[in-house]
């Protein structure tokens, strides 16, 4: 009898997380089948992925490219249906035949399809941290209401998840004897760079992360440590804790991916080489374990692990994110949108590296606090912050 394979949709298949996900899936083709792959611009890579994995659907959010892709796939006698609208993204994330969705679109663009997967009660592997940062309470309520299984892909949150006791989900941090969560971060490429040289940092320098090979947006976020700020917010929602329950620690080697400190003095850490295939494989197979193609950790080669306190003068974005989470309401969505616009402007060489945090700070200070009762309010906050950030940039 044929064994039913787990049906997977990969949102953002052509990105760094998407490619790593397909690498793990290809190692276990007896267990997993690709239902749908999605991309934004990278037609060539999506075409290659379709030829290899033969999904039922491919979504490319550019209608001209969708036409081209449909022609090429048909010429290879592939039955993959090619689609291109935002509704199509949500459809392949929530389709009745899909078991698991890898949410790996970058930025706010991932919010609606990721939420569609959550509302449909799927097993959702969450890489797209911006979706949770923007809509925290609404997102987590939707998870509860639908009974979706939410598993973190961000290496830190996946590590924390692995270090928490099983009964954490029902009992929460207080009654599990947990002291706090230690969120580790490498500090990015500019850990040692003199502050007076920051203004001249180029996009390529900012994207050259010492330990991780990632998309350009998250690479810049790592360099400013906004990534750690977004992760702090992400951790608050995922594990139902406050910023005060989280200690951010610099750990330049990226071997310990985060830790949980218990009241009895124990500290549990999850370690491994910096390779996203570990958290991807962990979440895919959970609660089982599968091989991920990751090189074994060689302690003799590492020889030393070091730790330090992050300095807000070097990483102002970290502080802005923490403050936005404490303020709550529309502030995290505002922070996220202003950051996305500022990072893009930096990548397009419109603003300097040091202006990223200035733009975000100006947008936050010009924004009045508002409750976000529903998704519409999140989208309004996002749009307003984008407009304001553009304005601030054009005045610079
Ligand atoms: P990436 O830029 O390499 O890939 C992004 C993917 O999203 C691509 O497939 C792209 O086609 C798609 N996309 C971009 N804009 C889109 C739009 N407007 N509509 C639809 N699709 C769109 O990014 P990445 O590094 O793979 O990161 C993806 C997500 O995972 C981000 O939220 C990031 O923060 C998170 N994450 C990444 C890593 C990593 O190691 N790369 C680690 C932890 C978390
Ligand atoms: Mg991370």
């Amino acid at each position: 009898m044929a064994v039913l394979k787990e049906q997977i949709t990969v949102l953002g298949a052509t990105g760094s997380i998407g490619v790593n996900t397909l690498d793990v899936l290809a190692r276990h083709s007896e267990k997993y089948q690709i239902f749908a792959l999605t991309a934004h611009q990278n037609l060539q890579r999506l075409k290659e992925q379709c030829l290899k994995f033969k999904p039922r659907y491919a979504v490319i959010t550019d209608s001209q490219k969708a036409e081209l892709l449909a022609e090429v796939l048909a010429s290879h006698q592939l039955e993959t249906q090619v689609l291109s609208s935002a509704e199509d993204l949500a459809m392949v994330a929530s389709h009745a035949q899909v078991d698991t969705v890898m949410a790996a679109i970058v930025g706010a663009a991932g919010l609606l399809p990721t939420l569609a997967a959550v509302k449909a009660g799927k097993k959702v592997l969450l890489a797209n941290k911006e979706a949770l940062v923007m809509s925290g309470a609404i997102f987590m309520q939707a998870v509860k209401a639908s009974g979706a299984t939410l598993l973190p892909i961000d290496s830190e949150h996946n590590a924390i998840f692995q270090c928490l006791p099983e009964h954490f989900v029902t009992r929460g941090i207080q009654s599990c004897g947990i002291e706090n969560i230690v969120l580790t971060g490498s500090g990015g490429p500019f850990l040692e760079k003199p502050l007076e040289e920051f203004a001249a940092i180029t996009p390529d320098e900012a994207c050259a992360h010492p330990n991780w090979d990632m998309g350009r947006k998250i690479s810049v976020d790592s360099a400013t440590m906004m990534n750690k700020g977004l992760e702090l917010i992400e951790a608050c929602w995922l594990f139902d804790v406050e910023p005060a329950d989280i200690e951010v620690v610099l750990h330049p080697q990226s071997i310990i991916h985060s830790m949980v400190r218990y009241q009895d003095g124990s500290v549990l850490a999850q370690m491994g080489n910096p390779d996203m295939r570990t958290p991807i494989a962990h979440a895919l197979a959970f609660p089982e374990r599968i091989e991920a193609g990751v090189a074994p950790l060689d302690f003799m080669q590492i020889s030393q692990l070091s730790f330090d306190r992050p300095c807000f003068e070097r990483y102002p974005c970290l502080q802005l994110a923490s403050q936005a989470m404490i303020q709550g309401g529309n502030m995290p969505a505002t922070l996220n949108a202003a950051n996305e616009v500022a990072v893009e402007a930096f990548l397009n060489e419109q603003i300097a590296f040091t202006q990223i945090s200035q733009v975000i700070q100006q947008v936050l200070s010009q924004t009045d606090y508002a409750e976000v009762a529903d998704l519409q309010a999140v989208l309004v906050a996002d749009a307003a912050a984008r407009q304001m950030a553009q304005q601030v940039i054009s005045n610079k």
Side-chain angles (χ1 to χ4, degrees), residues 309-353:
R309 232 177 234 107
C311 148
F312 286 145
E313 204 190 345
R314 183 169 290 269
Y315 302 114
C317 287
L318 183 55
Q319 194 169 28
L320 292 175
S322 173
Q323 284 164 352
M325 183 63 199
I326 292 166
Q327 285 177 292
N330 54 342
M331 291 303 170
T334 302
L335 170 99
N336 178 67
N339 180 56
E340 283 189 27
V341 173
V343 169
E344 202 179 318
F346 167 68
L347 286 172
N348 293 333
E349 300 185 29
Q350 287 170 271
I351 60 170
F353 184 78

Side-chain angles (χ1 to χ4, degrees), residues 201-382:
I201 288 170
T202 66
D204 283 347
E205 286 169 342
C207 289
H209 196 281
N211 307 335
W212 298 97
D213 182 12
M214 309 182 285
R216 283 172 83 78
K217 191 263 178 181
I218 184 177
S219 296
V220 176
D221 285 350
S222 297
T224 61
M225 273 193 100
M226 176 55 91
N227 185 48
K228 214 46 56 187
L230 298 177
E231 290 182 354
L232 180 94
I233 300 175
E234 182 185 13
C236 288
W237 290 114
L238 282 175
F239 306 118
D240 195 17
V241 297
E242 309 282 326
D245 298 318
I246 300 174
E247 181 186 346
V248 176
V249 170
L250 287 177
H251 166 48
Q253 297 83 11
S254 302
I255 295 297
I256 292 180
H257 298 303
S258 277
M259 303 182 255
V260 176
R261 195 193 289 275
Y262 287 85
Q263 286 165 357
D264 63 6
S266 301
V267 179
L268 298 193
Q270 187 263 354
M271 292 192 255
N273 280 318
D275 187 324
M276 287 309 292
R277 291 177 299 178
T278 295
I280 290 168
H282 170 266
L284 263 176
F286 181 79
E288 310 289 326
R289 297 272 179 173
I290 55 172
E291 197 271 331
V294 177
L297 194 57
D298 181 344
F299 287 102
M300 303 312 132
Q301 204 193 354
I302 298 164
S303 113
Q304 213 178 18
L305 298 179
S306 60
F307 305 93
D308 207 346
R309 232 177 234 107
C311 148
F312 286 145
E313 204 190 345
R314 183 169 290 269
Y315 302 114
C317 287
L318 183 55
Q319 194 169 28
L320 292 175
S322 173
Q323 284 164 352
M325 183 63 199
I326 292 166
Q327 285 177 292
N330 54 342
M331 291 303 170
T334 302
L335 170 99
N336 178 67
N339 180 56
E340 283 189 27
V341 173
V343 169
E344 202 179 318
F346 167 68
L347 286 172
N348 293 333
E349 300 185 29
Q350 287 170 271
I351 60 170
F353 184 78
T354 41
Q355 289 177 316
I356 297 174
S357 62
Q358 293 167 13
V359 170
I360 302 164
Q361 188 178 8
Q362 280 189 41
V363 171
L364 285 169
S365 65
Q366 285 170 27
T367 302
D368 293 325
Y369 172 88
E371 301 276 340
V372 282
D374 53 24
L375 189 59
Q376 191 51 33
V378 174
L379 299 177
V380 166
D382 176 83

Side-chain angles (χ1 to χ4, degrees), residues 11-18 38-42 61 89 103-107 109 127-130 153-156 212-218 227 231 276:
L11 301 171
T14 52
S16 158
I17 293 288
T38 87
H40 187 43
Q41 292 290 345
N42 196 336
T61 45
L89 275 183
I105 291 176
V106 60
N128 179 208
K129 67 193 88 183
E130 296 92 345
I153 292 298
D154 220 335
S155 56
E156 296 77 3
W212 298 97
D213 182 12
M214 309 182 285
R216 283 172 83 78
K217 191 263 178 181
I218 184 177
N227 185 48
E231 290 182 354
M276 287 309 292

Side-chain angles (χ1 to χ4, degrees), residues 95-168:
H95 195 287
Q97 284 174 15
V98 170
D99 301 300
T100 299
V101 175
M102 166 56 79
I105 291 176
V106 60
L111 176 62
L112 295 180
T114 304
L115 258 187
V118 165
K119 286 182 180 163
K122 303 300 181 195
K123 178 165 136 188
V124 178
L125 314 185
L126 185 72
N128 179 208
K129 67 193 88 183
E130 296 92 345
L132 188 56
V133 167
M134 291 170 75
S135 68
I138 293 156
F139 192 103
M140 295 309 287
Q141 274 157 16
V143 171
K144 250 193 199 153
S146 70
T149 304
L150 185 63
L151 292 166
I153 292 298
D154 220 335
S155 56
E156 296 77 3
H157 305 73
N158 186 272
I160 295 161
F161 181 77
Q162 293 195 49
C163 296
L164 288 170
E166 223 174 286
H167 56 260
F168 173 79

